[in-house]
Amino acid sequence: MELLRFATAGSVDDGKSTLIGRLLHDSKSIFEDQLEAVERSSQQRGHDYVNLALLTDGLRAEREQGITIDVAYRYFATPQRKFIIADTPGHVQYTRNMVTGASTADLAIVLVDARKGLLEQSRRHAYIATLLGIPHLVVAINKMDLVEWDEVVFKDIASHFEGFAAGLHPHEVTFIPLSALEGDNVVDRSTNMAWYDGPTLLEHLETVEVASSFNHDKGRFPVQYVIRPLTAEHHDYRGYAGTVAGGVFRPGDEVVVLPSGRRSTVAGIDTLDGEVPEAFAPMSVTVRLADEIDISRGDMLVRADDPEPRVTQELDAMLCWFSEQPMHVGTKYAIKHTTRSAKAVVRELQHRVDIDSLQPETRASELDINDIGRVSIKVSAPLMVDPYSVNRLTGSFILIDEATNATVAAGMVL
Amino acid sequence: MTLTLDPPRYELSDLDALEAEAIFIMREVAAELERPVLLFSGGKDSIVLLRLAEKAFRPGRFPFPIMHIDTGHNFSEAVEFRDRRVAELGERLIVGYVQDDIDAGRSREETGPRASRNRLQTTTLLRMIDEHGFDAAFGGARRDEEKARAKERVLSFRDDFGQWDPKNQRPELWSLYNGRIRKGEHIRAFPISNWTEMDVWQYIQREELEVPSIYFAHHRKVFRRDGMLLGVGPVTEPKDGEEVFEELVRYRTVGDMSCTGAVVSSAATIDEIITEVAATRITERGATRADDKFSEAAMEDRKREGYF
């Protein structure tokens, strides 16, 4: 069975939690005891309806305030597919959690309130989804019940969005009018919007083509862990454990070890279940080489036939800033890229992105929390990078504040 | 004749994708932290963790010991299974006893009809982490179990009191896990965060893993309390008015005997369990765990204190 990972985003009160609640409820993925608990809570809170948002807002503070604070992950399955939902918060102050949820998603649903149209947060989320290279974008125009199921409202928002998205270059955008509260076009087809002939949200999730999120062209294998048992039985065993980050590796392939540039041949690819004839992303395997060379965690095996990644200490990247402490040019951070860690310094802030206009602001001097900008970074050791648009695994990195150990930024190599 | 070749489709099945992700997480923690430990209770989720550890590190040995926090109120079948499984693997087992903390006055036994040692595990777990200097603990928690768990990161940061702060979690991007900590702090690592109860059973079936016998239907003397079926035993004695009867039951979770309920079932094989799980309308914890019913945020509150 296929697995689809998707993230939901949108402004506060656009109804994300209600939409997820509705999706789970109408696809019969809610269990009786969960529904009873939600009914009980709804009653205690004095709601005159079953508040499906209570199903997903799992923290005390979220229930107190009726908002989603942190990303939560939900799971459900239909006969067609299994789904992992990253339910991400809408507040500007929690944008980092939207980035967290979106970084592993194959599809993003951006919710828009039909009454309010495209707000800054919807634009921000659509931008982030595109920046993170999510192949499929769904614009769910919610609360259609509150605009009398009006096709004109739907079409206006859709065309407004298309105008905005022209500057983003998303892979694919699908517009769906729905009412999460009433359940129209979430799982069941709406009888109130006969003018809409596209799929319901669930139909779209079940059928959208998902085979595109890994790179299968350029062989990349970051070495994660060296397995050297040194036991009587496996005295000479030396295996390089890791997860294929791109391309396909087979026994007999010539590989280059980066950054040293030494060459060898794949002698075998091991798993607990025996040797395998090939390994591709995102398989976790153990590679044995024909030659004994010095290889450690953080090195990368690259297929010699494929173009090599850039081995560099200078990067240009887009950065999403997460920390209350603004990013200043010249500050040192720890950087983690694939399995390699080093130190990094931001040498230049080329521009900050104005989320409204998507235009670069070249006079910005720092990145504040939730800002996105283009930077030049110098790294203390060479990294083996591909552009993020080519490979999400070898093109992404995080920055860590060495004093607090907090993850302060997500980076995408240009 | 023209030969047409389908382009190769490099895709993993859902179970293979979840397995690959979990192996990656285990290797990442083993590589980046100094002294990890793997928590093993003899239950189905930690049984899966042990298999994933084999997948991640064989033919080498596990780069960590296995640890059980023993409440003293465990099902004997689970403890017997625990010892046998660890011996088969040839790995090291450490046991932390809740009784030791009660005897030393660090934990106090709960009283009353709903008394349980489940909460007391936290004190013992944190003591063992401290005594052994562990800086990471692998657990078999799944996000689909409970709404607070749905919020927890794969690598969950705990401060030097073992506390979880749900409002201040590290963003977790791509597969770039940040395992950096200061001395005294530690990481809880959950390689099967993204698995569901069904995934776990399907994996047990595929890998032909043995599980303790209490997961399969058996006749047991039970009584009903708070809507749950509790097995009659030394720590679960019926009160006046609670009628004891024999029922064909099995357990969906293996927890502390005092707070883990049985479900009526005739499922005697893994295949039958999978059929049953597919049809059930009650969550695993809703059906069988009294400790989550104390309040709407029972799990969150326990986790804030350092519960696993």
Side-chain angles (χ1 to χ4, degrees), chain B residues 119-252:
Chain B
R119 289 175 71 98
L120 305 189
Q121 289 179 90
T122 302
T123 305
T124 309
L125 172 61
L126 294 178
R127 171 175 64 81
M128 294 295 284
I129 285 175
D130 189 45
E131 279 179 14
H132 290 266
F134 294 128
D135 56 5
F138 288 107
R142 310 189 321 265
R143 286 168 173 157
D144 82 318
E145 284 180 86
E146 205 278 336
K147 58 188 182 295
R149 282 214 163 133
K151 296 272 172 186
E152 191 155 16
R153 298 288 191 257
V154 171
L155 259 62
S156 181
F157 173 79
R158 301 300 175 102
D159 68 12
D160 48 4
F161 294 94
Q163 299 178 111
W164 179 57
D165 180 359
K167 270 185 151 175
N168 187 27
Q169 301 195 78
R170 291 175 178 172
E172 207 154 76
L173 300 132
W174 300 288
S175 49
L176 294 168
Y177 299 104
N178 173 359
R180 286 172 184 250
I181 52 167
R182 283 181 274 209
K183 199 157 175 54
E185 300 167 341
H186 69 273
I187 295 284
R188 303 282 172 89
F190 303 111
I192 60 167
S193 282
N194 284 325
W195 298 42
T196 63
E197 182 185 17
M198 181 58 108
D199 296 325
V200 166
W201 281 114
Q202 287 177 340
Y203 193 72
I204 286 169
Q205 178 188 49
R206 186 183 91 175
E207 299 289 315
E208 300 177 345
L209 301 178
E210 193 193 340
V211 297
S213 56
I214 58 171
Y215 280 117
F216 300 108
H218 55 283
H219 288 279
R220 192 178 277 262
K221 284 203 163 51
V222 295
F223 61 95
R224 206 170 281 283
R225 179 182 294 167
D226 296 338
M228 285 195 333
L229 285 181
L230 293 178
V232 178
V235 294
T236 44
E237 297 203 10
K239 294 179 294 181
D240 287 349
E242 290 177 334
E243 183 205 344
V244 173
F245 52 101
E246 193 172 279
E247 186 66 88
L248 187 60
V249 297
R250 69 176 202 89
Y251 285 87
R252 276 175 81 182

Side-chain angles (χ1 to χ4, degrees), chain B:
Chain B
M1 192 180 94
T2 38
L3 186 67
T4 51
L5 285 173
D6 285 333
R9 278 176 72 86
Y10 295 112
E11 282 196 45
L12 293 182
S13 72
D14 54 337
L15 275 188
D16 285 331
L18 290 170
E19 180 193 74
E21 178 183 71
I23 293 170
F24 176 82
I25 293 161
M26 294 191 106
R27 287 171 172 168
E28 205 61 11
V29 170
E32 294 225 321
L33 288 129
E34 298 286 329
R35 289 180 67 80
V37 65
L38 186 146
L39 300 174
F40 179 58
S41 63
K44 64 185 185 305
D45 303 311
S46 51
I47 288 170
V48 166
L49 277 195
L50 286 184
R51 169 51 56 102
L52 291 166
E54 289 183 85
K55 298 234 179 191
F57 302 108
R58 292 294 186 237
R61 292 194 63 185
F62 295 177
F64 39 73
I66 295 164
M67 181 162 78
H68 182 221
I69 302 303
D70 190 332
T71 62
H73 291 172
N74 299 294
F75 292 94
S76 55
E77 295 92 333
V79 172
E80 178 270 330
F81 176 83
R82 172 196 80 189
D83 294 340
R84 188 157 46 81
R85 185 77 193 103
V86 174
E88 281 165 6
L89 286 167
E91 300 290 344
R92 290 163 290 161
L93 178 71
I94 300 170
V95 181
Y97 294 96
V98 167
Q99 188 65 50
D100 290 348
D101 291 283
I102 293 171
D103 294 345
R106 291 183 290 261
S107 292
R108 185 179 299 171
E109 193 92 77
E110 293 178 1
T111 55
R114 284 167 193 77
S116 157
R117 285 189 169 182
N118 187 45
R119 289 175 71 98
L120 305 189
Q121 289 179 90
T122 302
T123 305
T124 309
L125 172 61
L126 294 178
R127 171 175 64 81
M128 294 295 284
I129 285 175
D130 189 45
E131 279 179 14
H132 290 266
F134 294 128
D135 56 5
F138 288 107
R142 310 189 321 265
R143 286 168 173 157
D144 82 318
E145 284 180 86
E146 205 278 336
K147 58 188 182 295
R149 282 214 163 133
K151 296 272 172 186
E152 191 155 16
R153 298 288 191 257
V154 171
L155 259 62
S156 181
F157 173 79
R158 301 300 175 102
D159 68 12
D160 48 4
F161 294 94
Q163 299 178 111
W164 179 57
D165 180 359
K167 270 185 151 175
N168 187 27
Q169 301 195 78
R170 291 175 178 172
E172 207 154 76
L173 300 132
W174 300 288
S175 49
L176 294 168
Y177 299 104
N178 173 359
R180 286 172 184 250
I181 52 167
R182 283 181 274 209
K183 199 157 175 54
E185 300 167 341
H186 69 273
I187 295 284
R188 303 282 172 89
F190 303 111
I192 60 167
S193 282
N194 284 325
W195 298 42
T196 63
E197 182 185 17
M198 181 58 108
D199 296 325
V200 166
W201 281 114
Q202 287 177 340
Y203 193 72
I204 286 169
Q205 178 188 49
R206 186 183 91 175
E207 299 289 315
E208 300 177 345
L209 301 178
E210 193 193 340
V211 297
S213 56
I214 58 171
Y215 280 117
F216 300 108
H218 55 283
H219 288 279
R220 192 178 277 262
K221 284 203 163 51
V222 295
F223 61 95
R224 206 170 281 283
R225 179 182 294 167
D226 296 338
M228 285 195 333
L229 285 181
L230 293 178
V232 178
V235 294
T236 44
E237 297 203 10
K239 294 179 294 181
D240 287 349
E242 290 177 334
E243 183 205 344
V244 173
F245 52 101
E246 193 172 279
E247 186 66 88
L248 187 60
V249 297
R250 69 176 202 89
Y251 285 87
R252 276 175 81 182
T253 64
V254 171
D256 195 57
M257 274 186 82
S258 57
C259 62
T260 306
V263 292
V264 175
S265 168
S266 59
T269 64
I270 303 281
D271 288 359
E272 286 168 8
I273 289 175
I274 287 175
T275 307
E276 186 180 285
V277 169
T280 185
R281 298 301 310 140
I282 307 284
T283 63
E284 181 181 329
R285 291 203 158 249
T288 67
R289 288 296 181 94
D291 45 335
D292 291 337
K293 294 185 173 171
F294 288 141
S295 83
E296 209 169 56
M299 173 71 91
E300 180 183 347
D301 293 346
R302 271 180 293 143
K303 285 165 72 68
R304 281 173 179 275
E305 290 167 13
Y307 187 79
F308 130 83

Side-chain angles (χ1 to χ4, degrees), chain A residues 2-293:
Chain A
E2 273 183 329
L3 192 60
L4 178 74
R5 295 177 191 244
F6 68 94
T8 58
S11 294
V12 184
D13 297 332
D14 279 352
K16 284 183 303 298
S17 297
T18 309
L19 178 67
I20 292 171
R22 175 59 65 187
L23 195 56
L24 296 173
H25 180 269
D26 290 4
S27 63
K28 310 219 169 4
S29 309
I30 296 182
F31 293 88
E32 281 166 18
D33 53 314
Q34 289 173 320
L35 195 59
E36 277 165 23
V38 168
E39 283 167 357
R40 214 165 37 236
S41 302
S42 299
Q43 232 170 23
Q44 275 169 9
R45 275 150 215 272
H47 299 311
D48 52 5
Y49 61 98
V50 176
N51 184 358
L52 291 174
L54 291 174
L55 193 74
T56 61
D57 287 341
L59 300 175
R60 271 188 189 283
E62 293 177 325
R63 289 169 167 250
E64 276 160 23
Q65 300 171 47
I67 59 164
T68 309
I69 290 172
D70 203 347
V71 59
Y73 295 86
R74 312 277 154 202
Y75 307 83
F76 76 109
T78 67
Q80 277 71 38
R81 244 175 210 171
K82 278 192 184 173
F83 301 96
I84 300 180
I85 314 175
D87 173 14
T88 73
H91 267 269
V92 176
Q93 73 212 74
Y94 302 119
T95 299
R96 64 181 199 173
N97 294 328
M98 149 82 200
V99 178
T100 294
S103 71
T104 51
D106 302 309
L107 177 148
I109 301 173
V110 176
L111 247 79
V112 176
D113 184 330
R115 296 168 307 170
K116 297 180 188 160
L118 210 55
L119 300 178
E120 182 185 348
Q121 265 309 75
S122 321
R123 286 197 294 270
R124 184 189 292 269
H125 287 155
Y127 175 70
I128 291 171
T130 316
L131 187 69
L132 284 164
I134 297 179
H136 308 279
L137 201 57
V138 174
V139 180
I141 298 167
N142 189 26
K143 306 197 183 181
M144 289 299 293
D145 51 316
L146 300 181
V147 295
E148 278 134 33
W149 316 103
D150 188 351
E151 184 180 9
V152 175
V153 173
F154 170 74
K155 285 201 156 151
D156 279 353
I157 294 173
S159 77
H160 187 182
F161 187 92
E162 277 176 337
F164 162 78
L168 297 180
H169 312 295
H171 294 266
E172 181 200 83
V173 188
T174 305
F175 298 94
I176 302 176
L178 51 83
S179 166
L181 194 66
E182 307 281 335
D184 291 64
N185 284 343
V186 178
V187 170
D188 301 316
R189 188 154 287 282
S190 172
T191 51
N192 294 308
M193 292 180 280
W195 45 265
Y196 173 75
D197 57 7
T200 67
L201 179 61
L202 184 64
E203 282 166 7
H204 182 66
L205 295 173
E206 284 179 322
T207 54
V208 66
E209 180 72 39
V210 290
S212 50
S213 55
F214 292 104
N215 176 307
H216 296 306
D217 292 333
K218 299 183 176 67
R220 306 285 186 256
F221 187 79
V223 174
Q224 190 186 11
Y225 193 88
V226 181
I227 296 181
R228 283 231 63 189
L230 293 171
T231 53
E233 194 187 347
H234 299 282
H235 189 77
D236 296 324
Y237 189 94
R238 185 199 294 257
Y240 303 103
T243 295
V244 180
V248 184
F249 289 84
R250 298 184 185 88
D253 284 349
E254 196 188 349
V255 292
V256 183
V257 184
L258 296 177
S260 73
R262 291 198 179 83
R263 286 177 176 247
S264 185
T265 309
V266 175
I269 302 173
D270 294 342
T271 70
L272 187 70
D273 307 300
E275 291 195 37
V276 292
E278 61 180 14
F280 52 87
M283 284 171 71
S284 288
V285 296
T286 303
V287 174
R288 277 177 292 111
L289 297 181
D291 307 279
E292 287 205 0
I293 21 184

